């Protein structure tokens, strides 16, 4: 998806709901941080006291915009989440914001995120998730078309359940509903 179009698409959602959630979730993080699917760099201003931030973004247009926002302590890499060029156990915190919905090889990517985290490390997330009941049925039916026009985004992923399946304990809470789409935030810890 075009980075400038993406920023326009989420501008109001970001202003009304997500900026505060990012502030609450990301400013306390310290140490070595991996920002997965950095997009256009929306998380960058919220990393206040890290030792190092490694941000990964496979889309060249998004990465080009993110590079203009990157602070000195941030390294921006061209790679996908299913093949991260970092040592096992080398990251204190993984950050996933509005990205787990669009990762193609999600199982391999979640295994890779688990691998790079230190034992006891955390995965912080802010994601939209599949709705319940009739809304969930609607999300299932819209996802094939929606995914084609939005760069692979899936309306029907249950992020907390997927994280649990891949070895994490998960605490999450609702953030907002935007056009009927629920957003959740939380932390997942490695189950070691």
């Amino acid at each position: 998806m075009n980075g400038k179009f993406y920023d326009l698409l989420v501008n109001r959602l970001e202003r009304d709901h997500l900026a505060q959630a990012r502030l609450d979730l990301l400013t306390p993080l310290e140490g070595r941080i991996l920002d997965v699917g950095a997009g256009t760099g929306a998380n960058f201003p919220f990393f206040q006291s890290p030792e190092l931030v490694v941000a990964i973004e496979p889309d060249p247009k998004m990465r080009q915009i993110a590079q203009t926002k990157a602070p000195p302590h941030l390294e921006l890499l061209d790679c996908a989440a299913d093949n991260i060029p970092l040592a096992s156990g080398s990251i204190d915190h993984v950050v996933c914001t509005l990205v787990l919905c669009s990762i193609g090889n999600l199982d391999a990517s979640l295994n890779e995120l688990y691998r790079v985290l230190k034992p006891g490390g955390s995965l912080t997330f802010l994601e939209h998730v599949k709705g319940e009941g009739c809304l969930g049925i609607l999300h299932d039916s819209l996802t094939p078309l929606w995914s084609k026009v939005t760069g692979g985004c899936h309306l029907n992923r249950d992020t907390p359940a997927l994280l649990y399946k891949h070895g994490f304990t998960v605490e999450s809470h609702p953030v907002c509903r935007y056009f009927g789409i629920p957003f959740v935030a939380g932390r997942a810890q490695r189950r070691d």
Side-chain angles (χ1 to χ4, degrees):
M1 178 182 290
N2 178 296
K4 291 178 184 175
F5 175 72
Y6 177 82
D7 282 348
L8 287 172
L9 183 68
V10 299
N11 186 37
R12 183 172 177 198
L13 172 64
E14 193 69 43
R15 183 187 68 235
D16 293 349
H17 302 287
L18 301 186
Q20 184 62 51
R22 287 180 202 271
L23 180 69
D24 295 343
L25 289 168
L26 304 181
T27 55
L29 300 181
E30 297 178 340
R32 298 175 56 86
I33 299 168
L34 173 63
D35 187 5
V36 178
T40 62
N43 288 336
F44 297 173
F46 299 99
F47 297 127
Q48 296 298 305
S49 54
E51 176 186 328
L52 171 71
V53 177
V54 176
I56 61 173
E57 176 53 59
D59 183 283
K61 292 176 183 172
M62 296 271 206
R63 199 172 51 255
Q64 184 178 19
I65 294 170
Q67 189 64 58
T68 66
K69 301 175 185 177
H73 61 269
L74 188 140
E75 181 181 353
L76 186 58
L77 302 178
D78 173 10
C79 72
D82 61 355
N83 189 18
I84 302 170
L86 297 174
S88 297
S90 63
I91 296 294
D92 297 300
H93 306 284
V94 169
V95 172
C96 297
T97 59
L98 306 183
V99 68
L100 295 176
C101 62
S102 62
I103 290 176
N105 192 346
L106 190 58
D107 286 332
S109 296
L110 290 175
N111 288 337
E112 189 72 345
L113 299 181
Y114 188 92
R115 180 190 69 78
V116 300
L117 268 176
K118 291 180 177 178
S122 72
L123 186 151
T124 299
F125 61 94
L126 172 60
E127 299 284 340
H128 65 79
V129 295
K130 179 179 178 177
E132 296 179 359
C134 293
L135 184 58
I137 294 168
L138 179 63
H139 288 164
D140 285 337
S141 63
L142 290 176
T143 289
L145 176 61
W146 179 260
S147 185
K148 286 181 183 174
V149 299
T150 59
C153 176
H154 293 74
L155 290 170
N156 60 350
R157 288 196 172 158
D158 181 352
T159 300
L162 290 167
L163 290 169
Y164 184 82
K165 174 185 166 190
H166 286 275
F168 294 92
T169 58
V170 181
E171 293 181 19
S172 66
H173 60 275
V175 173
C176 68
R177 283 187 177 270
Y178 196 69
F179 292 109
I181 301 170
F183 285 75
V184 298
R187 293 208 197 291
Q189 298 284 139
R190 273 184 55 148
R191 291 195 311 259
D192 293 311

